[in-house]
Amino acid sequence: MEANSLIQTLNNITILSPAIQQEIKLHLIEERFNRKAIILKAGQVSQRIYFIKEGFIRAFYQKNGSDYTSWFMGQGDIIVSVYSFFSRKPSFENIQILENSVLQSINWDQLQQLYKTFPGFNLTGRLITEQYYIKSEERSIALQTLTAKQRYDALLLAYPGILQKATLGQIASYLSIKQETLSRIRAKV
Amino acid sequence: MEANSLIQTLNNITILSPAIQQEIKLHLIEERFNRKAIILKAGQVSQRIYFIKEGFIRAFYQKNGSDYTSWFMGQGDIIVSVYSFFSRKPSFENIQILENSVLQSINWDQLQQLYKTFPGFNLTGRLITEQYYIKSEERSIALQTLTAKQRYDALLLAYPGILQKATLGQIASYLSIKQETLSRIRAKV
DNA sequence: GATAAGGTTTGACTAAAGTCAAAAAACAGG
DNA sequence: CCTGTTTTTTGACTTTAGTCAAACCTTATC
């Protein structure tokens, strides 16, 4: 089995039967995307759920004329605009490639078909959603209980190469501070 | 069928077969809890997932010597310390009754048994988790894009009776501001 | 209905982050 | 390697929220 593939990642969550694996492989497509490409635009309904085989990506939304980064995601992560993909409503967020990436994906209809054909596959979907829920909760806790400097340090720890991939403006918006503030935090060592 | 019961709420998400409904009813217990009772203490592994038939509840955690309210929840909500219940690790948060409540609940083993016996029930679990994920995301967005006053107004709108049930200290900690700041926001009308 | 405990408000001051503008540095293409 | 664009830093100033302490309410209880 190929390293860093979606199938392998799913198998690490819970073993999939050969039949499901076969069916997933049948629909999975692999694509390359270049830096700065937008793979989901706000206003569109998210149609595909992606797996990052290689690369670095962010999700962001705009409000009151500013950008807010929701997430950074790297190799091995599953990315999707949860709200739009699952509710089938227009997305409020954009998904943007930050470094040339190789993504595997399947579309909504195919995923629903998988759930229908293999009810037990809902277990995988549920576990992934639980994991992402916990991540989201951790983010809220960090925003409430850590200083801006501590959040910055934690981000660098989680994504060591991030300074080469994202701009300080993007990072600041993820940390919930202004770029000037981040610049001053960095200056102070 | 009883109004505001867990079974009814689950059926609104996706229709359950009579067999699953029967099995759930078999394990569901209903209990009354009084104001100030703690139904989950930090450090314990969360064993039960609750449905609020009636009442008002909050989850909070302690860090750096302060209380942080994670959630307020009312009638019709399903409550659980997601992290602890699903990972089976000690909870970092407490769940506290704010007004006398009637809760229905089942324990972890019984829920897993349900998932095992009825693989399609994972669909319900997945959809609920998706809903809660979206709520968590909305919370982060509110924290990033709304002023403290706007967050306060939104909370009052979501839970009109909250001022009679929770203290201003609890509300302030949910809004991510100090009690004194909330007091001043209220004074300025 | 006096008292204590819990909860809320106010005041004076401090700290942290935002704003706006401009300068400096880094980068990308021709 | 020059030039325009984007990104990052710096400065002066304002705004918002936090801190600590005291005073003031409200509620429950004896």
Side-chain angles (χ1 to χ4, degrees):
Chain A
M1 190 186 306
E2 215 173 346
N4 301 320
S5 75
L6 172 62
I7 299 279
Q8 197 186 39
T9 300
L10 295 182
N11 260 317
N12 283 341
I13 294 170
T14 180
I15 301 292
L16 298 180
S17 71
I20 304 189
Q21 296 194 23
Q22 200 44 49
E23 189 70 13
I24 294 175
K25 277 182 192 158
L26 200 65
H27 298 298
L28 206 63
I29 64 171
E30 190 169 306
E31 294 169 286
R32 297 186 157 274
F33 291 95
N34 288 329
R35 208 163 89 78
K36 295 194 178 169
I38 300 279
I39 61 174
L40 175 67
K41 248 206 178 82
Q44 297 175 338
V45 174
S46 169
Q47 297 298 350
R48 308 192 71 81
I49 183 163
Y50 296 90
F51 172 80
I52 307 180
K53 198 168 162 185
E54 209 185 297
F56 200 66
I57 291 176
R58 75 163 182 145
F60 70 99
Y61 59 94
Q62 293 178 306
K63 201 165 168 179
N64 317 323
S66 318
D67 268 29
Y68 295 90
T69 298
S70 321
W71 294 107
F72 290 109
M73 282 148 300
Q75 199 174 72
D77 286 333
I78 288 167
I79 56 169
V80 67
S81 175
V82 174
Y83 169 75
S84 173
F85 187 79
F86 291 115
S87 72
R88 315 269 63 216
K89 292 181 190 152
S91 174
F92 62 88
E93 59 187 358
N94 308 271
I95 298 180
Q96 180 188 37
I97 306 291
L98 294 185
E99 96 180 341
N100 296 349
S101 299
V102 178
L103 307 184
Q104 300 182 315
S105 69
I106 68 170
N107 73 25
W108 190 84
D109 295 311
Q110 291 161 349
L111 181 64
Q112 299 314 309
Q113 195 51 51
L114 275 172
Y115 282 136
K116 218 169 173 179
T117 315
F118 306 97
F121 187 56
N122 276 294
L123 169 60
T124 301
R126 181 168 63 79
L127 293 177
I128 290 174
T129 312
E130 278 166 21
Q131 281 175 20
Y132 277 72
Y133 180 85
I134 288 170
K135 270 199 182 185
S136 171
E137 213 169 45
E138 280 170 355
R139 170 121 196 251
S140 292
I141 293 173
L143 278 176
Q144 279 195 302
T145 67
L146 302 183
T147 63
K149 168 95 173 83
Q150 290 171 325
R151 298 200 298 276
Y152 175 66
D153 291 339
L155 182 65
L156 290 192
L157 206 65
Y159 295 106
I162 197 170
L163 288 173
Q164 280 69 55
K165 297 166 187 168
T167 68
L168 288 188
Q170 292 166 351
I171 293 174
S173 79
Y174 176 79
L175 299 175
S176 236
I177 54 176
K178 295 290 146 185
Q179 170 165 330
E180 295 92 324
T181 304
L182 177 54
S183 184
R184 286 185 242 267
I185 285 172
R186 280 156 51 85
K188 243 190 283 179
V189 174
Chain B
M1 193 186 305
E2 213 172 347
N4 301 319
S5 74
L6 172 62
I7 298 278
Q8 197 186 38
T9 299
L10 294 183
N11 261 317
N12 284 343
I13 295 171
T14 180
I15 302 293
L16 298 180
S17 71
I20 305 189
Q21 295 195 24
Q22 199 44 47
E23 189 69 14
I24 294 174
K25 277 183 189 154
L26 199 66
H27 297 300
L28 206 63
I29 63 173
E30 190 169 307
E31 295 170 285
R32 299 187 156 273
F33 292 94
N34 288 329
R35 208 162 88 78
K36 294 190 180 174
I38 300 279
I39 61 175
L40 174 68
K41 247 206 179 84
Q44 296 175 338
V45 174
S46 169
Q47 298 297 349
R48 307 193 72 82
I49 183 163
Y50 296 90
F51 171 81
I52 307 180
K53 197 169 164 183
E54 207 185 297
F56 200 67
I57 290 177
R58 74 163 181 144
F60 70 99
Y61 60 94
Q62 294 177 306
K63 201 162 169 180
N64 317 324
S66 317
D67 268 29
Y68 295 89
T69 298
S70 323
W71 294 106
F72 290 109
M73 283 148 299
Q75 199 174 72
D77 287 332
I78 288 168
I79 55 168
V80 66
S81 177
V82 174
Y83 170 75
S84 173
F85 187 78
F86 292 113
S87 72
R88 315 269 60 215
K89 291 179 189 156
S91 173
F92 63 88
E93 60 186 359
N94 307 271
I95 298 179
Q96 180 187 38
I97 306 290
L98 293 185
E99 96 180 342
N100 298 348
S101 298
V102 179
L103 307 184
Q104 300 182 313
S105 69
I106 68 169
N107 72 25
W108 189 84
D109 296 311
Q110 291 161 349
L111 181 64
Q112 300 313 310
Q113 195 52 53
L114 275 172
Y115 283 135
K116 219 168 171 178
T117 314
F118 305 97
F121 188 56
N122 275 295
L123 170 61
T124 301
R126 181 170 62 80
L127 292 177
I128 290 173
T129 313
E130 279 166 18
Q131 282 176 19
Y132 275 74
Y133 180 84
I134 288 170
K135 271 199 181 185
S136 171
E137 214 169 43
E138 280 170 354
R139 170 122 196 249
S140 292
I141 293 173
L143 279 176
Q144 280 196 301
T145 68
L146 303 182
T147 64
K149 168 97 172 80
Q150 291 171 323
R151 299 201 298 275
Y152 175 66
D153 291 338
L155 182 65
L156 290 193
L157 205 66
Y159 295 107
I162 197 171
L163 288 173
Q164 279 70 56
K165 296 165 185 170
T167 68
L168 289 187
Q170 292 166 352
I171 292 173
S173 80
Y174 176 79
L175 299 175
S176 236
I177 53 177
K178 295 290 147 183
Q179 169 164 333
E180 293 91 326
T181 303
L182 177 55
S183 184
R184 285 185 245 265
I185 285 172
R186 281 157 50 85
K188 243 190 280 179
V189 172

